[in-house]
Amino acid sequence: SQQGEEDPQALSIQEGENATMNCSYKTSINNLQWYRQNSGRGLVHLILIRSNEREKHSGRLRVTLDTSKKSSSLLITASRAADTASYFCATDAWGTSGSRLTFGEGTQLTVNP
Amino acid sequence: KAGVTQTPRYLIKTRGQQVTLSCSPISGHRSVSWYQQTPGQGLQFLFEYFSETQRNKGNFPGRFSGRQFSNSRSEMNVSTLELGDSALYLCASSTDDRGLFKNIQYFGAGTRLSVL
């Protein structure tokens, strides 16, 4: 079962608008990551935020993390049609050795030109 | 550097058969993970290999197995295929830079398996 739950499941906006996606998780984490997946392809890493960080920026992306609420949000500003994709949060749990990301169920973002 | 390469891209098999999928990680990456993606279950972790040893394992039956070679290339095998095994199988590699608490995964394009 997926640890993360993402909200909303689907989001449709116009080019130029901002898009916000939310992610909740259940266990203590080392870090939380966001990935993008274009239809039927592999995932691409977007940004990583460590458990001791509250906010991080990368270009048009802004990620926040609230460990007390076990939640994170991804904001894409000034969206473009090329941002149309599925977005997943993934948690790297505290105490696990090696790699074992747990992915949320994803948000399907559609940006209309 | 070349990215993560998965072969084949598409596979069609029938129930009861077995299948082997291959993954070549990014040069220098020693950790290789496998994920199954389906519309109903989402992305689920199968297993992770590091230095030819399975280091983590997800909740999949024993029909799903894997291995890693000395050059870090990895294979995943599914025996006695079932209809529910139809999925996109994704391989990801990472540097396993645990000292900085980073575990960024670099994904291949996936192998689309259809079981008829």
Side-chain angles (χ1 to χ4, degrees):
Chain A
S1 63
Q2 297 291 316
Q3 170 177 226
E5 294 182 3
E6 294 188 56
D7 168 48
Q9 288 189 331
L11 180 61
S12 182
I13 59 175
Q14 297 299 123
E15 234 177 359
E17 293 181 337
N18 296 341
T20 300
M21 290 158 261
N22 303 297
C23 165
S24 62
Y25 59 91
K26 295 174 183 163
T27 62
S28 296
I29 60 172
N30 278 329
N31 62 70
L32 184 144
Q33 302 175 39
W34 286 88
Y35 288 81
R36 183 188 74 216
Q37 183 180 35
N38 290 90
S39 181
R41 307 284 294 182
L43 283 75
V44 175
H45 178 262
L46 295 175
I47 193 166
L48 178 150
I49 185 165
R50 299 178 189 177
S51 59
N52 61 354
E53 297 175 314
R54 292 296 167 258
E55 188 171 312
K56 202 159 183 183
H57 297 254
S58 177
R60 294 185 296 114
L61 305 179
R62 172 179 169 257
V63 169
T64 62
L65 179 65
D66 186 336
T67 53
S68 67
K69 295 181 179 178
K70 290 187 168 58
S71 67
S72 174
S73 68
L74 171 67
L75 168 67
I76 304 174
T77 60
S79 63
R80 306 165 181 167
D83 294 329
T84 294
S86 292
Y87 292 81
F88 296 87
C89 67
T91 53
D92 182 9
W94 180 258
T96 57
S97 60
S99 305
R100 183 172 181 156
L101 293 183
T102 301
F103 284 85
E105 296 178 0
T107 293
Q108 172 62 51
L109 173 66
T110 302
V111 182
N112 302 298
Chain B
K1 281 185 181 178
V4 177
T5 304
Q6 290 188 248
T7 57
R9 289 296 316 281
Y10 303 93
L11 265 178
I12 299 176
K13 293 286 186 178
T14 56
R15 278 182 300 174
Q17 288 187 311
Q18 75 165 20
V19 67
T20 299
L21 312 182
S22 180
C23 173
S24 293
I26 292 173
S27 177
H29 286 193
R30 296 191 295 166
S31 169
V32 175
S33 298
W34 289 89
Y35 295 84
Q36 181 197 64
Q37 186 176 30
T38 60
Q41 297 297 316
L43 268 158
Q44 293 196 296
F45 173 80
L46 280 155
F47 29 64
E48 182 224 358
Y49 285 86
F50 180 80
S51 293
E52 302 179 61
T53 300
Q54 187 180 86
R55 188 162 61 173
N56 279 294
K57 188 178 188 302
N59 298 322
F60 278 81
R63 300 185 297 108
F64 292 81
S65 63
R67 58 178 176 169
Q68 187 180 33
F69 301 95
S70 59
N71 62 357
S72 293
R73 190 176 71 84
S74 177
E75 288 182 346
M76 189 192 103
N77 185 76
V78 188
S79 62
T80 320
L81 283 166
E82 300 176 1
L83 295 178
D85 296 334
S86 295
L88 180 66
Y89 289 88
L90 293 163
C91 167
S93 71
S94 69
T95 61
D96 191 51
D97 190 359
R98 300 301 291 174
L100 297 176
F101 295 97
K102 287 185 179 179
N103 183 18
I104 295 172
Q105 301 286 299
Y106 296 84
F107 283 82
T111 294
R112 174 77 61 185
L113 173 64
S114 298
V115 182
L116 306 178

